[in-house]
Amino acid sequence: MKTNKTKTDYDVMVVGAGVAGMETASSLGNMGYKVLLVDKKPSIGGRAILLSKVFPTLDCASCIVTPKMAASAHHPNIDVKIYTEVDGITRNADGSFSVDLHQKSAYVDIDACTGCGTCEEVCTVTVPDEYNYNLVTRRVAHIPFPQAVPKKAVIDRRGEAPCIHTCPASVKASGYISLVRAGRYKEAFNLHLENAPLVGCLARSCYAPCEEDCTRCGKEETVHIRGIKRFFSDHYYDEHPEPEYGPVENQLATKVAIVGSGPAGLSAAFYLARKGHQVTIFEAEIQPGGMLRTGIPAYRLPNEVVDRDIKNVTALGVQIKCNTRVESAAKLKEEGFDAVFVATGASDENRLGVEGEELEGVMGCMKFLRETKIGIAPNIRGKTVMVVGGGNSAMDPARSAIRMGAQRVIICYRRSQDEMPAHDWEIQGAIEEGVELMLLTTPKRFIGNNGKLEGVECLKMKLGEPDASGRRRPVIVEGSETVIPIDLAILAIGLKPSTTGFVDEMDHERGLLTSDPETLQTRDPAIFAGGDCVTNPTMIVNAIGQGRRAAFYIDRHLKGESLDVEFESLLEKTDKDVVLEESKNFRSRPPVLQPTMPLEERRRTFECYERVMSEEEARKEAHRCMNCGECSQCMECVNNCPAFCIDFNLRDAAKSFTVGSVVMSTGFEILDPGSKKALNYANFPDVVDGAQMDRLLAPTRPYNSVLRPSDGKEPENIAFVLCNGSRDHTICNPLCCRIGCMYAVKQAQLAMGALPLADVTIYYIDVRAFGKGYDEFYEQSKAMGVAFTKGKVARIEKLDNGNMEVYYEDMEGVGGMKKAEHDLVVLTVGFLPNTDAFRLYKGGELAGNEFNYVREIDPISEPGRTSVDGLFAAGAIIGARDIPDTVLHAGAAASQVSAYLETTRN
Amino acid sequence: MNTAPTAPRSMLELAQDEMIMKDRIAAVLREKHRTIPEIAEILGYPTNEITVWLFGMRRYGEVEEVGRPDVDGYFKYEWKDKKAEEAAAEEN
Ligand SMILES: Cc1cc2nc3c(=O)[nH]c(=O)nc-3n(C[C@H](O)[C@H](O)[C@H](O)COP(=O)(O)OP(=O)(O)OC[C@H]3O[C@@H](n4cnc5c(N)ncnc54)[C@H](O)[C@@H]3O)c2cc1C
Ligand code: SF4
Ligand code: SF4
């Protein structure tokens, strides 16, 4: 190793690990310099490793490039950092450079990954395969290509799917959707359990905030996420009336008490029992389930579903003690519990505070719903019912009253319909079923006879100025009193926390218990509180999220671990505009209509009115998902990886180094042949470009043979068309690509080898065979029978038989426009500069040439030197070139680097 | 007669269809070995789309070509029952 006089982290950083980068790095490494070799892709090797064979020797590209890949990867003086982006390079006064990088997360423990490819096989999301130039697909969990170095898996994630990001319990909606799309229903159910154990309840009565944020809303309408969940949860429960598991093997001695068996309590119990703690739930009601059992009407959530969901929890050994009201967490601690989670919910009813509220026939909505669900509600057949309130909790009793045979059901709300807090679909459902809305109306008093309600005196309201909530304040219209005969009035005017007793020993704000919003721990470290008794009434899924969070921190508390850790780390939400833009030309996919019970039937029964989708409908609906996050988080890779190396908590890592010098070897870009419209590359699958043809000819080709992409037929008559977008002033690219002629000759020879009966024609302007052995190579192809037609191809059209007609200007013979039929057309396309170097060098101006390639200051005597002293360029970054020229140039650049390092250090 | 060009569906859109289409292709191949145009005819999809999905399946060993191409240049493909093969391998 050379002495590192300036004490930099590395003597040189080489950016881009294609042929040029690997060659420069290896040469410098061999000279004893310490090299940092960086590439943004997940494998080194650049473009050359994807080639079939190389001209003019027809050596296999792998045989040429793989040894270089191995030499760089295993060189003691070279540190390879793949999947790493350079963020900036600046030059220091002493001639060294400061570089900022970030290593992108592959979500895989690179050291543990064995490259077995299992993750790829089980992955449920498919995308175009850029390593096969989009001729086939690959999975988002993937090993880039068979010869990749390192041969490690990478998972594409561009953000958190909006449906997951919005869900208060972070349920992996896009994950279970992609599992349903792939026909893996049991896996979908098990994935759901990881975030929320009450799958059936959520499938029927979650307010589904995910659907409101679904990217598909920007096209037709949301993916019906809850409907898909309903399908797989019903499917699973039909096949599994009992859970498939029992208590975990590793039982701990720690005892946890949970007060309340609503969604928060049940969910905390589930995740704590999974960790092995001994969990007891105390429930005041006669049956467990909290609001799920007593608050949500059966037409939205039948008790059998609640029971089956609860089995998911009790199967783990959780004890539920019903009929046991608890009002002190401290007492539970005294009884020997090591931790307590208070999850008593918010089901105590607010009062309206008007005359007559105590009359028989005036009741709170929770009482009414509870009595309805357990079958002891007052008989209201043929009666008139008024529900006071405009929230979702008003819709449930109103729609229940319709089902109970009430003759007239009125919702009385003091603002207008626009201000009603209930979901639109709930309001519409109620109206459809016959509920009347009496808007801008409020009860003044309840009128009774012999202690029994007979009517409600109401006042008209009008809307005034907006209040603190932004909604317009209702103002009484004086003298507008009217009396409406009513048999039953149900007050749905809000709920308050059920925290009697606890407020005497715990911090609270007007009855709402106070706990740390992150850890849910209260002032007493062993007591935690969460769910509606802390948040006020929200949603089932919110309470479930709180329960899982509480379990996470209670477990840590019981194990004596710090609570100063993040509960779960989500990526940023995916930018929906990006997803919508990439799919803007996709076919429309109208939603599968949610099957529902006919209206008349619905009005008469408490049976669920939403019917479950069929398997075909569920898969069709799942197919509408746009894979917003790329990886859907179905967790199939995590669950199947034999080396347990996939970790979605891994994150990008920023790194900064000082280096003695920098070599940019970021190669070139390939021009999009679609820009030459008349050639119809974008329209005809059998018009391919040179890079795709190299893949078709490579031993690791995407198909089983050399086949045409339109229908998998072996081509019989192949055309190679040279100089498309090179030497072309119409698209401002006057440069010769320098390799098109020779690789077309190479591909023509390989095609003749693979398809001995095929005719091959090369359309050329002139053939440039300038290197050692190139002319002989060209002559050899003629001798093999390749036809050379001197003619500029103007356009390509498609014939009814599926073949292409190539129109060309005849440049020899009689001239004029001619045409010829072919069944596969290969376009050799021009190259473009990779301009990354100009962006990455932030220390001043890095000079480019007139074609925007990095400019060599003196290409003849100092190859590789750029306008920035100490920053060099190697390979095709200074102009497209073939592999021999690239290797030569890289060697020259390495010598220049060495000279620079020796000068700056002496 | 020339036909007016219409752009085929993008690879990304086709990729998103693959998980659904592979089961349909598997069902058709389970009956008997078939060429891409034959599968396309039965399923009512363009041959270029079937090509994409079929080779997506082949990549993971779910289908395989049978013998040499027919006189028109088309291979026939067979469905591989991976689950059965894995189970057999485990038994041995
Ligand atoms: C269709 C086709 C056929 C060909 N056939 C032949 C042939 O038969 N024989 C022959 O000699 N040549 C052939 N070539 C040319 C050959 O591919 C090139 O000579 C060679 O790849 C150039 O090497 P390079 O290292 O300069 O660039 P590349 O191979 O392009 O490597 C550049 C590397 O830089 C990385 N990179 C880019 N930007 C950044 C960044 N900002 N940060 C970090 N890393 C970055 C890239 O990921 C890549 O790994 C062919 C080319 C094509 C397109
Ligand atoms: S979580 Fe699922 S979609 Fe994501 S990479 Fe793993 S298998 Fe593929
Ligand atoms: S399109 Fe799919 S991934 Fe995107 S938000 Fe909707 S359900 Fe989620």
Side-chain angles (χ1 to χ4, degrees), chain A residues 120-121 129 136-137 139 587 589 619 623 682-683 704 710-711 714 797 800, chain B residues 2-3 7-8 11 13 17-18 23 47-48 55 59-60 73-74 77 82:
Chain A
E120 240 180 286
E121 274 189 45
D129 180 5
V136 272
T137 57
R139 304 283 164 81
R587 273 187 207 157
R589 286 194 181 281
R619 286 189 79 178
H623 190 187
N683 294 327
N704 56 292
S710 72
D711 61 358
E714 279 198 334
E797 287 182 2
D800 282 347
Chain B
N2 298 326
T3 46
M11 269 305 276
E13 187 177 359
D17 291 354
E18 189 169 311
D23 285 0
T47 48
N48 69 302
F55 287 114
R59 179 175 193 148
Y60 300 105
Y74 294 103
Y77 296 89
K82 281 189 78 188

mmCIF file of all heavy atoms in Angstrom, chain A residues 120-121 129 136-137 139 587 589 619 623 682-683 704 710-711 714 797 800, chain B residues 2-3 7-8 11 13 17-18 23 47-48 55 59-60 73-74 77 82:
data_model
loop_
_atom_site.group_PDB
_atom_site.id
_atom_site.type_symbol
_atom_site.label_atom_id
_atom_site.label_comp_id
_atom_site.label_asym_id
_atom_site.label_seq_id
_atom_site.Cartn_x
_atom_site.Cartn_y
_atom_site.Cartn_z
ATOM 1 N N GLU A 120 -37.543 -13.584 -4.979
ATOM 2 C CA GLU A 120 -38.040 -13.267 -6.319
ATOM 3 C C GLU A 120 -39.207 -14.171 -6.686
ATOM 4 O O GLU A 120 -40.217 -13.725 -7.202
ATOM 5 C CB GLU A 120 -36.910 -13.539 -7.309
ATOM 6 C CG GLU A 120 -36.498 -12.354 -8.091
ATOM 7 C CD GLU A 120 -35.380 -12.683 -9.047
ATOM 8 O OE1 GLU A 120 -34.224 -12.862 -8.597
ATOM 9 O OE2 GLU A 120 -35.661 -12.770 -10.242
ATOM 10 N N GLU A 121 -39.031 -15.439 -6.422
ATOM 11 C CA GLU A 121 -40.056 -16.405 -6.824
ATOM 12 C C GLU A 121 -41.378 -16.142 -6.133
ATOM 13 O O GLU A 121 -42.434 -16.281 -6.734
ATOM 14 C CB GLU A 121 -39.605 -17.827 -6.482
ATOM 15 C CG GLU A 121 -38.768 -18.414 -7.579
ATOM 16 C CD GLU A 121 -38.500 -19.890 -7.334
ATOM 17 O OE1 GLU A 121 -39.435 -20.614 -6.970
ATOM 18 O OE2 GLU A 121 -37.333 -20.285 -7.491
ATOM 19 N N ASP A 129 -38.442 -5.510 -16.689
ATOM 20 C CA ASP A 129 -37.065 -5.869 -16.330
ATOM 21 C C ASP A 129 -36.082 -5.019 -17.136
ATOM 22 O O ASP A 129 -35.837 -5.289 -18.314
ATOM 23 C CB ASP A 129 -36.844 -7.363 -16.619
ATOM 24 C CG ASP A 129 -35.433 -7.798 -16.278
ATOM 25 O OD1 ASP A 129 -34.669 -6.970 -15.734
ATOM 26 O OD2 ASP A 129 -35.088 -8.960 -16.566
ATOM 27 N N VAL A 136 -38.961 -8.488 -20.974
ATOM 28 C CA VAL A 136 -39.743 -9.319 -20.054
ATOM 29 C C VAL A 136 -39.976 -8.560 -18.764
ATOM 30 O O VAL A 136 -39.585 -7.402 -18.633
ATOM 31 C CB VAL A 136 -39.031 -10.650 -19.667
ATOM 32 C CG1 VAL A 136 -39.321 -11.756 -20.609
ATOM 33 C CG2 VAL A 136 -37.591 -10.435 -19.393
ATOM 34 N N THR A 137 -40.581 -9.267 -17.816
ATOM 35 C CA THR A 137 -40.831 -8.653 -16.515
ATOM 36 C C THR A 137 -39.887 -9.262 -15.484
ATOM 37 O O THR A 137 -39.293 -10.317 -15.718
ATOM 38 C CB THR A 137 -42.276 -8.932 -16.077
ATOM 39 O OG1 THR A 137 -42.460 -10.345 -16.071
ATOM 40 C CG2 THR A 137 -43.272 -8.284 -17.021
ATOM 41 N N ARG A 139 -39.579 -9.306 -10.853
ATOM 42 C CA ARG A 139 -40.323 -8.993 -9.627
ATOM 43 C C ARG A 139 -39.650 -7.805 -8.921
ATOM 44 O O ARG A 139 -38.465 -7.547 -9.158
ATOM 45 C CB ARG A 139 -40.341 -10.205 -8.695
ATOM 46 C CG ARG A 139 -40.907 -11.454 -9.364
ATOM 47 C CD ARG A 139 -42.431 -11.411 -9.448
ATOM 48 N NE ARG A 139 -42.961 -12.375 -10.390
ATOM 49 C CZ ARG A 139 -43.144 -13.665 -10.150
ATOM 50 N NH1 ARG A 139 -42.815 -14.159 -8.966
ATOM 51 N NH2 ARG A 139 -43.665 -14.442 -11.063
ATOM 52 N N ARG A 587 -55.284 1.418 -19.664
ATOM 53 C CA ARG A 587 -56.731 1.267 -19.829
ATOM 54 C C ARG A 587 -57.462 1.577 -18.531
ATOM 55 O O ARG A 587 -56.937 1.307 -17.457
ATOM 56 C CB ARG A 587 -57.032 -0.195 -20.153
ATOM 57 C CG ARG A 587 -56.951 -0.481 -21.604
ATOM 58 C CD ARG A 587 -57.437 -1.897 -21.795
ATOM 59 N NE ARG A 587 -56.814 -2.426 -22.981
ATOM 60 C CZ ARG A 587 -56.649 -3.707 -23.224
ATOM 61 N NH1 ARG A 587 -57.048 -4.599 -22.340
ATOM 62 N NH2 ARG A 587 -56.102 -4.107 -24.336
ATOM 63 N N ARG A 589 -59.970 0.941 -15.576
ATOM 64 C CA ARG A 589 -60.437 -0.283 -14.905
ATOM 65 C C ARG A 589 -61.583 0.092 -13.985
ATOM 66 O O ARG A 589 -61.351 0.480 -12.832
ATOM 67 C CB ARG A 589 -59.320 -0.903 -14.073
ATOM 68 C CG ARG A 589 -58.271 -1.574 -14.894
ATOM 69 C CD ARG A 589 -57.380 -2.453 -14.041
ATOM 70 N NE ARG A 589 -56.381 -3.052 -14.897
ATOM 71 C CZ ARG A 589 -56.621 -4.094 -15.680
ATOM 72 N NH1 ARG A 589 -57.798 -4.668 -15.669
ATOM 73 N NH2 ARG A 589 -55.680 -4.574 -16.452
ATOM 74 N N ARG A 619 -60.456 -10.768 -7.069
ATOM 75 C CA ARG A 619 -59.175 -10.687 -7.785
ATOM 76 C C ARG A 619 -59.218 -9.568 -8.816
ATOM 77 O O ARG A 619 -58.223 -8.879 -9.046
ATOM 78 C CB ARG A 619 -58.837 -12.028 -8.455
ATOM 79 C CG ARG A 619 -58.391 -13.062 -7.448
ATOM 80 C CD ARG A 619 -57.864 -14.307 -8.121
ATOM 81 N NE ARG A 619 -56.500 -14.145 -8.602
ATOM 82 C CZ ARG A 619 -55.819 -15.119 -9.198
ATOM 83 N NH1 ARG A 619 -56.371 -16.300 -9.371
ATOM 84 N NH2 ARG A 619 -54.586 -14.919 -9.617
ATOM 85 N N HIS A 623 -56.849 -6.314 -8.800
ATOM 86 C CA HIS A 623 -56.077 -6.007 -10.005
ATOM 87 C C HIS A 623 -56.078 -4.512 -10.311
ATOM 88 O O HIS A 623 -55.258 -4.007 -11.070
ATOM 89 C CB HIS A 623 -56.723 -6.810 -11.158
ATOM 90 C CG HIS A 623 -55.948 -6.808 -12.421
ATOM 91 N ND1 HIS A 623 -56.431 -7.345 -13.571
ATOM 92 C CD2 HIS A 623 -54.740 -6.319 -12.735
ATOM 93 C CE1 HIS A 623 -55.556 -7.196 -14.534
ATOM 94 N NE2 HIS A 623 -54.516 -6.574 -14.054
ATOM 95 N N ALA A 682 -42.014 2.289 -31.083
ATOM 96 C CA ALA A 682 -42.948 2.252 -29.947
ATOM 97 C C ALA A 682 -44.208 1.470 -30.280
ATOM 98 O O ALA A 682 -44.945 1.064 -29.379
ATOM 99 C CB ALA A 682 -43.309 3.673 -29.526
ATOM 100 N N ASN A 683 -44.454 1.261 -31.579
ATOM 101 C CA ASN A 683 -45.729 0.648 -31.963
ATOM 102 C C ASN A 683 -45.619 -0.827 -32.322
ATOM 103 O O ASN A 683 -46.588 -1.567 -32.175
ATOM 104 C CB ASN A 683 -46.331 1.398 -33.151
ATOM 105 C CG ASN A 683 -46.719 2.810 -32.768
ATOM 106 O OD1 ASN A 683 -47.109 3.057 -31.624
ATOM 107 N ND2 ASN A 683 -46.570 3.742 -33.684
ATOM 108 N N ASN A 704 -36.788 -18.586 -24.552
ATOM 109 C CA ASN A 704 -36.093 -19.872 -24.623
ATOM 110 C C ASN A 704 -35.233 -19.984 -25.866
ATOM 111 O O ASN A 704 -34.452 -20.916 -26.014
ATOM 112 C CB ASN A 704 -37.100 -21.035 -24.563
ATOM 113 C CG ASN A 704 -38.160 -20.957 -25.645
ATOM 114 O OD1 ASN A 704 -38.991 -20.058 -25.613
ATOM 115 N ND2 ASN A 704 -38.126 -21.855 -26.603
ATOM 116 N N SER A 710 -43.337 -10.231 -30.707
ATOM 117 C CA SER A 710 -44.780 -10.059 -30.932
ATOM 118 C C SER A 710 -45.560 -11.339 -30.704
ATOM 119 O O SER A 710 -46.720 -11.301 -30.321
ATOM 120 C CB SER A 710 -45.047 -9.560 -32.337
ATOM 121 O OG SER A 710 -44.804 -10.603 -33.259
ATOM 122 N N ASP A 711 -44.923 -12.507 -30.952
ATOM 123 C CA ASP A 711 -45.702 -13.744 -30.815
ATOM 124 C C ASP A 711 -44.853 -14.983 -30.541
ATOM 125 O O ASP A 711 -45.343 -16.109 -30.637
ATOM 126 C CB ASP A 711 -46.554 -13.978 -32.076
ATOM 127 C CG ASP A 711 -45.706 -14.127 -33.328
ATOM 128 O OD1 ASP A 711 -44.467 -14.014 -33.210
ATOM 129 O OD2 ASP A 711 -46.274 -14.348 -34.404
ATOM 130 N N GLU A 714 -39.894 -17.985 -34.184
ATOM 131 C CA GLU A 714 -38.485 -17.870 -34.583
ATOM 132 C C GLU A 714 -38.439 -17.053 -35.862
ATOM 133 O O GLU A 714 -39.063 -17.433 -36.865
ATOM 134 C CB GLU A 714 -37.893 -19.248 -34.844
ATOM 135 C CG GLU A 714 -37.484 -19.954 -33.572
ATOM 136 C CD GLU A 714 -36.511 -21.113 -33.828
ATOM 137 O OE1 GLU A 714 -36.536 -21.665 -34.951
ATOM 138 O OE2 GLU A 714 -35.764 -21.461 -32.907
ATOM 139 N N GLU A 797 -43.329 -0.130 -41.775
ATOM 140 C CA GLU A 797 -44.777 -0.302 -41.607
ATOM 141 C C GLU A 797 -45.082 -1.768 -41.353
ATOM 142 O O GLU A 797 -44.239 -2.632 -41.579
ATOM 143 C CB GLU A 797 -45.508 0.217 -42.846
ATOM 144 C CG GLU A 797 -45.472 1.741 -42.858
ATOM 145 C CD GLU A 797 -46.213 2.361 -44.017
ATOM 146 O OE1 GLU A 797 -46.804 1.601 -44.815
ATOM 147 O OE2 GLU A 797 -46.155 3.593 -44.135
ATOM 148 N N ASP A 800 -50.384 -7.012 -42.932
ATOM 149 C CA ASP A 800 -51.469 -7.780 -42.310
ATOM 150 C C ASP A 800 -50.995 -9.141 -41.789
ATOM 151 O O ASP A 800 -51.564 -9.690 -40.847
ATOM 152 C CB ASP A 800 -52.612 -8.004 -43.320
ATOM 153 C CG ASP A 800 -53.441 -6.734 -43.444
ATOM 154 O OD1 ASP A 800 -53.258 -5.839 -42.594
ATOM 155 O OD2 ASP A 800 -54.239 -6.641 -44.394
ATOM 156 N N ASN B 2 -51.412 -2.081 -45.757
ATOM 157 C CA ASN B 2 -50.785 -1.719 -44.487
ATOM 158 C C ASN B 2 -51.844 -1.374 -43.442
ATOM 159 O O ASN B 2 -52.874 -0.808 -43.770
ATOM 160 C CB ASN B 2 -49.893 -0.495 -44.679
ATOM 161 C CG ASN B 2 -48.779 -0.795 -45.654
ATOM 162 O OD1 ASN B 2 -48.290 -1.915 -45.703
ATOM 163 N ND2 ASN B 2 -48.416 0.191 -46.446
ATOM 164 N N THR B 3 -51.528 -1.717 -42.189
ATOM 165 C CA THR B 3 -52.480 -1.359 -41.131
ATOM 166 C C THR B 3 -51.910 -0.172 -40.338
ATOM 167 O O THR B 3 -50.701 -0.053 -40.188
ATOM 168 C CB THR B 3 -52.700 -2.542 -40.167
ATOM 169 O OG1 THR B 3 -51.427 -3.083 -39.854
ATOM 170 C CG2 THR B 3 -53.571 -3.611 -40.776
ATOM 171 N N ALA B 7 -50.206 1.884 -30.651
ATOM 172 C CA ALA B 7 -49.178 1.514 -29.668
ATOM 173 C C ALA B 7 -49.673 0.359 -28.816
ATOM 174 O O ALA B 7 -50.814 0.372 -28.347
ATOM 175 C CB ALA B 7 -48.868 2.712 -28.795
ATOM 176 N N PRO B 8 -48.853 -0.673 -28.652
ATOM 177 C CA PRO B 8 -49.259 -1.746 -27.736
ATOM 178 C C PRO B 8 -49.283 -1.211 -26.309
ATOM 179 O O PRO B 8 -48.733 -0.154 -26.028
ATOM 180 C CB PRO B 8 -48.173 -2.798 -27.918
ATOM 181 C CG PRO B 8 -47.028 -2.115 -28.549
ATOM 182 C CD PRO B 8 -47.512 -0.856 -29.190
ATOM 183 N N MET B 11 -45.176 -1.906 -21.096
ATOM 184 C CA MET B 11 -44.689 -3.047 -20.312
ATOM 185 C C MET B 11 -45.138 -2.940 -18.863
ATOM 186 O O MET B 11 -45.427 -3.947 -18.220
ATOM 187 C CB MET B 11 -43.160 -3.101 -20.346
ATOM 188 C CG MET B 11 -42.595 -3.914 -21.452
ATOM 189 S SD MET B 11 -43.231 -5.592 -21.484
ATOM 190 C CE MET B 11 -42.185 -6.396 -20.308
ATOM 191 N N GLU B 13 -47.882 -1.673 -17.709
ATOM 192 C CA GLU B 13 -49.286 -2.084 -17.603
ATOM 193 C C GLU B 13 -49.394 -3.610 -17.728
ATOM 194 O O GLU B 13 -50.117 -4.254 -16.962
ATOM 195 C CB GLU B 13 -50.121 -1.392 -18.683
ATOM 196 C CG GLU B 13 -51.605 -1.650 -18.503
ATOM 197 C CD GLU B 13 -52.492 -0.926 -19.508
ATOM 198 O OE1 GLU B 13 -51.959 -0.184 -20.361
ATOM 199 O OE2 GLU B 13 -53.713 -1.129 -19.448
ATOM 200 N N ASP B 17 -50.574 -6.859 -14.997
ATOM 201 C CA ASP B 17 -51.574 -7.903 -15.287
ATOM 202 C C ASP B 17 -51.045 -9.318 -15.005
ATOM 203 O O ASP B 17 -51.812 -10.273 -14.984
ATOM 204 C CB ASP B 17 -51.973 -7.866 -16.771
ATOM 205 C CG ASP B 17 -52.764 -6.619 -17.121
ATOM 206 O OD1 ASP B 17 -53.100 -5.862 -16.208
ATOM 207 O OD2 ASP B 17 -53.033 -6.415 -18.318
ATOM 208 N N GLU B 18 -49.729 -9.432 -14.850
ATOM 209 C CA GLU B 18 -49.122 -10.764 -14.900
ATOM 210 C C GLU B 18 -49.652 -11.721 -13.836
ATOM 211 O O GLU B 18 -49.897 -12.902 -14.111
ATOM 212 C CB GLU B 18 -47.601 -10.649 -14.795
ATOM 213 C CG GLU B 18 -46.904 -11.965 -15.066
ATOM 214 C CD GLU B 18 -45.399 -11.799 -15.223
ATOM 215 O OE1 GLU B 18 -44.973 -10.916 -15.994
ATOM 216 O OE2 GLU B 18 -44.661 -12.542 -14.565
ATOM 217 N N ASP B 23 -52.260 -17.277 -14.010
ATOM 218 C CA ASP B 23 -53.148 -18.380 -13.634
ATOM 219 C C ASP B 23 -54.004 -18.816 -14.820
ATOM 220 O O ASP B 23 -54.294 -20.000 -14.999
ATOM 221 C CB ASP B 23 -54.057 -17.963 -12.473
ATOM 222 C CG ASP B 23 -53.291 -17.919 -11.161
ATOM 223 O OD1 ASP B 23 -52.080 -18.210 -11.191
ATOM 224 O OD2 ASP B 23 -53.890 -17.601 -10.111
ATOM 225 N N THR B 47 -51.060 -11.549 -29.003
ATOM 226 C CA THR B 47 -49.932 -12.481 -28.828
ATOM 227 C C THR B 47 -48.747 -11.821 -28.130
ATOM 228 O O THR B 47 -48.042 -12.478 -27.367
ATOM 229 C CB THR B 47 -49.482 -13.050 -30.189
ATOM 230 O OG1 THR B 47 -49.350 -11.966 -31.109
ATOM 231 C CG2 THR B 47 -50.455 -14.068 -30.735
ATOM 232 N N ASN B 48 -48.517 -10.515 -28.383
ATOM 233 C CA ASN B 48 -47.349 -9.896 -27.737
ATOM 234 C C ASN B 48 -47.539 -9.842 -26.224
ATOM 235 O O ASN B 48 -46.576 -9.950 -25.462
ATOM 236 C CB ASN B 48 -47.088 -8.494 -28.302
ATOM 237 C CG ASN B 48 -48.150 -7.493 -27.920
ATOM 238 O OD1 ASN B 48 -49.320 -7.699 -28.214
ATOM 239 N ND2 ASN B 48 -47.761 -6.437 -27.238
ATOM 240 N N PHE B 55 -43.267 -15.566 -20.703
ATOM 241 C CA PHE B 55 -41.842 -15.611 -20.364
ATOM 242 C C PHE B 55 -41.583 -15.112 -18.946
ATOM 243 O O PHE B 55 -40.546 -15.448 -18.360
ATOM 244 C CB PHE B 55 -41.005 -14.898 -21.433
ATOM 245 C CG PHE B 55 -40.941 -15.734 -22.690
ATOM 246 C CD1 PHE B 55 -41.530 -15.316 -23.864
ATOM 247 C CD2 PHE B 55 -40.353 -16.983 -22.653
ATOM 248 C CE1 PHE B 55 -41.511 -16.111 -25.003
ATOM 249 C CE2 PHE B 55 -40.335 -17.793 -23.776
ATOM 250 C CZ PHE B 55 -40.913 -17.361 -24.956
ATOM 251 N N ARG B 59 -39.498 -17.678 -16.518
ATOM 252 C CA ARG B 59 -38.378 -17.220 -15.701
ATOM 253 C C ARG B 59 -38.365 -17.891 -14.330
ATOM 254 O O ARG B 59 -37.320 -18.132 -13.743
ATOM 255 C CB ARG B 59 -38.527 -15.709 -15.548
ATOM 256 C CG ARG B 59 -37.483 -15.067 -14.732
ATOM 257 C CD ARG B 59 -37.688 -13.562 -14.764
ATOM 258 N NE ARG B 59 -36.501 -12.955 -14.220
ATOM 259 C CZ ARG B 59 -36.011 -11.793 -14.592
ATOM 260 N NH1 ARG B 59 -36.607 -11.100 -15.518
ATOM 261 N NH2 ARG B 59 -34.927 -11.319 -14.045
ATOM 262 N N TYR B 60 -39.559 -18.165 -13.804
ATOM 263 C CA TYR B 60 -39.637 -18.783 -12.475
ATOM 264 C C TYR B 60 -40.025 -20.255 -12.554
ATOM 265 O O TYR B 60 -40.558 -20.825 -11.599
ATOM 266 C CB TYR B 60 -40.598 -17.974 -11.586
ATOM 267 C CG TYR B 60 -40.102 -16.561 -11.447
ATOM 268 C CD1 TYR B 60 -40.710 -15.514 -12.126
ATOM 269 C CD2 TYR B 60 -38.948 -16.285 -10.699
ATOM 270 C CE1 TYR B 60 -40.210 -14.221 -12.039
ATOM 271 C CE2 TYR B 60 -38.440 -15.000 -10.620
ATOM 272 C CZ TYR B 60 -39.071 -13.973 -11.286
ATOM 273 O OH TYR B 60 -38.566 -12.701 -11.204
ATOM 274 N N GLY B 73 -42.673 -22.092 -36.972
ATOM 275 C CA GLY B 73 -41.663 -21.428 -36.141
ATOM 276 C C GLY B 73 -42.090 -21.196 -34.704
ATOM 277 O O GLY B 73 -41.433 -20.446 -33.972
ATOM 278 N N TYR B 74 -43.182 -21.820 -34.270
ATOM 279 C CA TYR B 74 -43.653 -21.600 -32.895
ATOM 280 C C TYR B 74 -43.349 -22.792 -31.992
ATOM 281 O O TYR B 74 -43.629 -23.941 -32.368
ATOM 282 C CB TYR B 74 -45.166 -21.367 -32.884
ATOM 283 C CG TYR B 74 -45.556 -20.091 -33.582
ATOM 284 C CD1 TYR B 74 -46.103 -20.130 -34.864
ATOM 285 C CD2 TYR B 74 -45.368 -18.861 -32.965
ATOM 286 C CE1 TYR B 74 -46.455 -18.955 -35.519
ATOM 287 C CE2 TYR B 74 -45.722 -17.688 -33.609
ATOM 288 C CZ TYR B 74 -46.265 -17.735 -34.881
ATOM 289 O OH TYR B 74 -46.598 -16.580 -35.512
ATOM 290 N N TYR B 77 -45.563 -24.861 -25.346
ATOM 291 C CA TYR B 77 -45.136 -24.731 -23.949
ATOM 292 C C TYR B 77 -45.980 -25.610 -23.057
ATOM 293 O O TYR B 77 -47.160 -25.843 -23.330
ATOM 294 C CB TYR B 77 -45.228 -23.261 -23.508
ATOM 295 C CG TYR B 77 -44.278 -22.401 -24.302
ATOM 296 C CD1 TYR B 77 -44.685 -21.818 -25.501
ATOM 297 C CD2 TYR B 77 -42.953 -22.238 -23.902
ATOM 298 C CE1 TYR B 77 -43.797 -21.068 -26.275
ATOM 299 C CE2 TYR B 77 -42.057 -21.494 -24.664
ATOM 300 C CZ TYR B 77 -42.489 -20.915 -25.848
ATOM 301 O OH TYR B 77 -41.602 -20.192 -26.601
ATOM 302 N N LYS B 82 -45.100 -26.883 -10.196
ATOM 303 C CA LYS B 82 -43.955 -26.687 -9.301
ATOM 304 C C LYS B 82 -44.203 -27.256 -7.912
ATOM 305 O O LYS B 82 -43.312 -27.808 -7.288
ATOM 306 C CB LYS B 82 -43.628 -25.203 -9.188
ATOM 307 C CG LYS B 82 -42.842 -24.698 -10.384
ATOM 308 C CD LYS B 82 -42.341 -23.312 -10.153
ATOM 309 C CE LYS B 82 -41.118 -23.301 -9.258
ATOM 310 N NZ LYS B 82 -40.710 -21.974 -8.868
#
